Amino acid sequence: MDAVTLEVLRNATAAVAEEMNATLVRTAYSPNVTDRRDCSCALFDADGAMVAQAENIPVHLGAMPHSVAAAIEAHPPESLEPGDAVLLNDPFHGGAHLPDLTLVSPIHRDGDLVGFAANRAHHADVGGARAGSVAADSTEIYQEGLRIPPVKLTAAGVENEAVLDLLLANVRTPEERRGDLAAQRAANETARRRVADLIETHGLETYRESLAAVQDYAERRMRSAVGDLPDGEYAFEDVLDDDGRGNADLQIVATVTVSGEAMSVDFAGTAGRTEGPLNAPIAVTTSATYYAVRCLTDPEIPPNAGCYRPIEIDAPAGSIVHAQLPAAVVGGNLEVSQRIVDVVLGALAEAVPERAAAAGQGTMNNLTLGGTDPRTETPYAFYETQGGGAGATASWDGMDAVHVHMSNTRNTPAEVLETAYPLRVRRYALRPDSGGAGEHRGGLGLRRDVEVRAAAACSLLGDRRRHAPYGFAGGEPGEPGADLLLRDGEATPVEAKTTLDLAPGDVLSIRTPGGGGYGDPADRDPEAVRRDLELGRLTPEAAGERYGIEPTEDEG
């Protein structure tokens, strides 16, 4: 295929995925999708290989090929018809964790299968023991919500009402779920129409050839990028604070071997299954590993199946990076994925220190609240992740208050949160001094205080409260996070993985970690220190202690 046609169709298929995502965001019901944009879309060829994706949630996109493969295994291509759509969330058959519902739709042309459209959306509740279905105290998958194997939600365009009724009968917010599922169907229908337009313009054979060619192109670029790395074996390890059940310092070990134009990542030595919900399905581990490798090679390589062919992953079955039934997995997707990125980036940093970054906040700081909304006397389920500090690099300070690495969502705007739920945001601000000191400082964490206006059940699931995000090349660690319950004028620390019963007027204060610093703090530009002082990112005390700069009277 000539280069011009290939580039046109490569960008066209990426645009299809982006338009799918725009449809999903604009037509969904829940703030979790419409405002936080906790969703992802991708396009696949007829064999189920990913060819294009919208640049959304890394933990979704690297794992979605597992969902498409599971859908094809359960419903072979010859059994699929135009208008079919396969729904699943089973972490042990292609899914990641139960709140992430994936919808896979075949795309046909004149009766022939030409590919698949798939999207994944985080639903704010899929049943289970806790509102929001992100239970910090779960110990097995059955407590975490409704588990859905690959099943047809629609057949030949006709909705399977029995499946939908079963799903909606097991969730706390059925109408919101119905609306988000309809938006997912609409997103895949957008892909069907746009692919038909591409085939009409370029021809079926050219379209099919382009899907194969763009994967081969991505493979060549990734092999070239890996080939530029020095051969060798590079290892790194880090820990999760605990699993919320008394099991502390859960170790994740990554050994990266670079040999020519191929790379292997071995997680031997990683902790075995843990009692709490910090067990990651293999799809999540794969996704996190691919993401980290792209970060330290060439992020501009088209993210498709070909891009990942040179990378081999070995994760011991039964470990916290390759969960087996009936392990609890909700935090594997949310928290273990972040630490996998930290250790793979840490290992590769030894090979290419000039491209390395210090650790980001390393957690998603998950908050779920649920109860009865007194304004409507109906159940509600609220879920949100919180931003924190990004790690500094050799060239830049870390970004402040962002969703790092595997999350990449937005926040829920205070106005939306207070309108949609019986909640009130009492404080939302950066945490001064929380970024690790360095020639380039780590990004700042944030503080978000949320008041409940009616009795609510709460689940907190976070990390990096005891073990700080690491600095690099002489940079200092970021400040760990903290969580407090503000009640009757008193502040009481609470564990980062816990469940609480909140009374009206209680305020939960989430204080997220800062990112690690890069380079010797003594080498930081004094003007950068004074700028941070002026903007309130740094206190006068920290300026003196960390950088040896005493503020002027005005600055102090």
Side-chain angles (χ1 to χ4, degrees), residues 135-211:
D137 57 349
S138 61
T139 58
E140 56 181 5
I141 190 68
Y142 310 111
Q143 299 166 332
E144 296 187 331
L146 186 64
R147 187 161 142 240
I148 307 168
V151 60
K152 285 188 181 182
L153 182 64
T154 62
V158 178
E159 193 168 70
N160 187 334
E161 293 184 5
V163 168
L164 188 61
D165 288 347
L166 177 63
L167 192 159
L168 299 182
N170 284 279
V171 301
R172 295 169 176 85
T173 50
E175 291 311 307
E176 190 175 87
R177 305 285 67 74
R178 185 193 300 273
D180 284 355
L181 284 169
Q184 290 185 258
R185 289 177 58 188
N188 285 359
E189 288 302 317
T190 296
R192 281 181 170 137
R193 291 194 301 271
R194 294 296 175 256
V195 169
D197 292 343
L198 290 177
I199 292 173
E200 185 70 27
T201 301
H202 299 279
L204 178 57
E205 289 310 310
T206 299
Y207 177 76
R208 281 177 163 157
E209 186 182 350
S210 74
L211 301 189

Side-chain angles (χ1 to χ4, degrees), residues 79-457:
S79 71
L80 295 172
E81 301 178 6
D84 286 356
V86 178
L87 179 71
L88 69 143
N89 72 348
D90 187 347
F92 306 106
H93 291 90
H97 67 171
L98 298 183
D100 283 342
L101 300 191
T102 302
L103 194 68
V104 181
S105 302
I107 301 173
H108 291 83
R109 172 73 172 184
D110 298 329
D112 292 334
L113 182 69
V114 298
F116 295 88
N119 68 73
R120 176 171 288 176
H122 184 120
H123 286 247
D125 187 84
V126 289
R130 298 285 177 180
S133 308
V134 180
D137 57 349
S138 61
T139 58
E140 56 181 5
I141 190 68
Y142 310 111
Q143 299 166 332
E144 296 187 331
L146 186 64
R147 187 161 142 240
I148 307 168
V151 60
K152 285 188 181 182
L153 182 64
T154 62
V158 178
E159 193 168 70
N160 187 334
E161 293 184 5
V163 168
L164 188 61
D165 288 347
L166 177 63
L167 192 159
L168 299 182
N170 284 279
V171 301
R172 295 169 176 85
T173 50
E175 291 311 307
E176 190 175 87
R177 305 285 67 74
R178 185 193 300 273
D180 284 355
L181 284 169
Q184 290 185 258
R185 289 177 58 188
N188 285 359
E189 288 302 317
T190 296
R192 281 181 170 137
R193 291 194 301 271
R194 294 296 175 256
V195 169
D197 292 343
L198 290 177
I199 292 173
E200 185 70 27
T201 301
H202 299 279
L204 178 57
E205 289 310 310
T206 299
Y207 177 76
R208 281 177 163 157
E209 186 182 350
S210 74
L211 301 189
V214 73
Q215 293 177 61
D216 292 341
Y217 168 70
E219 180 182 3
R220 290 194 299 272
R221 286 189 59 179
M222 179 56 82
R223 289 195 182 280
S224 176
V226 172
D228 289 340
L229 304 175
D231 283 0
E233 185 175 284
Y234 310 100
F236 195 85
E237 61 185 66
D238 203 342
V239 297
L240 293 149
D241 290 343
D242 63 272
D243 69 345
R245 308 288 297 185
N247 303 298
D249 298 347
L250 304 175
Q251 191 172 48
I252 298 181
V253 180
T255 302
V256 179
T257 303
V258 179
S259 179
E261 295 187 336
M263 175 188 296
S264 66
V265 182
D266 189 350
F267 290 94
T270 294
R273 171 187 169 182
T274 193
E275 184 181 4
L278 296 187
N279 301 283
I282 188 61
V284 171
T285 297
T286 299
S287 184
T289 302
Y290 287 161
Y291 165 83
V293 172
R294 285 192 68 213
C295 284
L296 285 197
T297 50
D298 182 358
E300 297 301 317
I301 297 173
N304 59 42
C307 171
Y308 305 129
R309 289 171 187 163
I311 306 166
E312 180 182 342
I313 298 171
D314 187 5
S319 67
I320 62 171
V321 295
H322 191 170
Q324 304 289 293
L325 189 70
V329 302
V330 67
N333 183 76
L334 302 166
E335 299 299 308
V336 179
S337 66
Q338 297 280 44
R339 198 65 72 255
I340 291 170
V341 172
D342 288 343
V343 299
V344 175
L345 288 179
L348 285 170
E350 186 180 344
V352 281
E354 69 280 4
R355 302 185 202 170
Q361 67 162 339
T363 175
M364 296 192 195
N365 304 293
N366 304 273
L367 168 63
T368 56
L369 295 164
T372 299
D373 189 335
R375 300 170 299 178
T376 60
E377 294 301 324
T378 57
Y380 78 93
F382 166 77
Y383 169 73
E384 184 177 44
T385 58
Q386 319 290 328
T393 71
S395 304
W396 303 99
D397 290 346
M399 293 181 68
D400 301 328
V402 293
H403 292 75
V404 304
H405 295 317
M406 300 308 288
S407 177
N408 199 40
T409 62
R410 299 182 178 189
N411 67 351
T412 306
E415 300 85 350
V416 173
L417 183 151
E418 294 181 350
T419 300
Y421 307 103
L423 306 171
R424 182 176 286 124
V425 178
R426 286 298 187 184
R427 183 167 179 171
Y428 196 22
L430 296 175
R431 293 180 67 201
D433 302 338
S434 56
E439 180 182 1
H440 298 286
R441 66 161 177 82
L444 302 185
L446 59 79
R447 173 177 173 177
R448 189 156 163 102
D449 292 2
V450 179
E451 177 188 351
V452 299
R453 302 176 66 186

